[in-house]
Amino acid sequence: MTAEVAAPMIKASAVNKYFGDLHVLREITLEVPRGQVVVVLGPSGSGKSTLCRAINRLEPINSGEIGVDGVPLPAEGKALAALRADVGMVFQSFNLFAHKTIVENVMLAPMKVRKASKDEARKTAMELLERVGIANQADKYPAQLSGGQQQRVAIARALAMRPKVMLFDEPTSALDPEMVQEVLDVMTGLAKDGMTMLVVTHEMGFARRAADRVIFMADGEIVEDTTPEEFFTAPKSERAKDFLGKIL
Ligand code: ADP
Ligand code: MG
């Protein structure tokens, strides 16, 4: 047998990003193997969102390289659109199209970007809405759904592109407390199904239960990269201890 080593699903090498004089990503080097769930923690302003956006090339970087499934992310053009389709992203704000129904929201991108037929797109959308527990709301409009339901639709919409990787940037931060768990449950299901995930969250319970790995960022740097067990019981850096002291 040939010892073929699979490329990491996400690979960032010495990534630097500046906003003007502000150095927001400092020599970020990171490999996420296929199927791994990485939770990214860190204080506000530490660069977590910028890292997510850089992986998706929503944000250009100043130096370094980022690859997804062994393919370097191009800076622009058609190749970028294709690669971006491999990376699903879910934000704090769900941004569903208000004048489209739930199922139409999920059908849209596959029809536009993947050139799926309407029937095909609808079939996939309904399967995904089933998966996030919301198929019975398919013909409603976003405003008729709760925040937690809308965020589950946003997850289904991202999955409709059949991404290789899912990035979540504080997906539950805008939700009322009673709706947080239903969204985390969907994410836990995805993790169990083997999706490669990078999750920025303040939900420490989720980090402990669902993460294979915790990355702690501060001031644009990866300060710790370890297991949840290690991170929560024996953080090494002062900055992580300080962070945990404030949130736990
Ligand atoms: P986090 O998600 O960890 O809170 P961000 O990645 O949003 O951190 O921000 C990192 C730093 O970059 C912060 O100091 C923030 O103010 C700054 N920043 C983020 N986006 C921009 C932008 N578009 N222009 C200028 N500064 C930005
Ligand atoms: Mg952020």
Side-chain angles (χ1 to χ4, degrees):
M1 253 181 78
T2 51
E4 216 177 284
V5 181
M9 205 45 124
I10 304 173
K11 184 174 160 73
S13 315
V15 171
N16 285 284
K17 165 76 183 173
Y18 294 83
F19 286 115
D21 290 339
L22 194 63
H23 197 174
V24 289
L25 295 179
R26 299 169 181 257
E27 293 291 316
I28 297 288
T29 293
L30 169 69
E31 286 192 9
V32 181
R34 185 182 300 267
Q36 194 171 68
V37 177
V38 179
V39 164
V40 181
L41 303 175
S44 178
S46 54
K48 307 178 300 295
S49 293
T50 306
L51 176 62
C52 287
R53 294 170 58 81
I55 291 170
N56 214 5
R57 280 290 154 96
L58 289 169
E59 201 73 75
I61 56 176
N62 295 95
S63 65
E65 276 176 34
I66 298 175
V68 173
D69 200 16
V71 183
L73 275 189
E76 56 195 11
K78 269 210 169 118
L80 174 61
L83 266 180
R84 201 178 267 161
D86 285 340
V87 183
M89 186 136 182
V90 175
F91 305 89
Q92 186 172 323
S93 56
F94 355 107
N95 290 329
L96 300 175
F97 291 105
H99 302 291
K100 302 233 176 249
T101 64
I102 296 306
V103 68
E104 285 167 355
N105 265 277
V106 181
M107 290 165 64
L108 221 56
M111 288 175 65
K112 261 183 120 159
V113 182
R114 298 268 198 230
K115 306 294 174 206
S117 72
K118 198 167 186 176
D119 285 349
E120 201 185 328
R122 183 175 293 275
K123 184 166 174 289
T124 306
M126 288 308 299
E127 285 166 8
L128 290 169
L129 289 174
E130 191 75 52
R131 187 166 170 188
V132 302
I134 224 156
N136 56 349
Q137 314 281 338
D139 296 320
K140 290 192 177 166
Y141 287 86
Q144 295 173 281
L145 270 57
S146 72
Q149 290 175 321
Q150 289 189 58
Q151 191 58 305
R152 287 189 276 153
V153 175
I155 294 172
R157 178 180 58 178
L159 291 174
M161 293 296 282
R162 304 190 187 286
K164 294 176 174 175
V165 177
M166 285 285 283
L167 307 177
F168 293 86
D169 190 2
E170 301 200 26
T172 60
S173 294
L175 299 177
D176 291 334
E178 72 271 21
M179 292 167 190
V180 168
Q181 198 53 48
E182 65 193 59
V183 173
L184 295 178
D185 287 346
V186 167
M187 292 164 62
T188 303
L190 271 182
K192 289 210 174 102
D193 289 346
M195 178 61 82
T196 308
M197 296 166 50
L198 191 81
V199 183
V200 179
T201 185
H202 297 298
E203 294 295 329
M204 297 302 144
F206 177 82
R208 280 174 183 271
R209 279 191 307 274
D212 297 306
R213 177 175 168 196
V214 165
I215 285 177
F216 174 72
M217 288 182 72
D219 300 325
E221 280 179 313
I222 294 179
V223 178
E224 302 209 20
D225 183 348
T226 182
T227 61
E229 170 73 14
E230 273 281 317
F231 184 76
F232 289 109
T233 59
K236 291 194 183 61
S237 64
E238 282 310 312
R239 284 186 287 188
K241 285 177 195 164
D242 184 53
F243 174 77
L244 286 169
K246 282 180 182 137
I247 52 149
L248 293 181

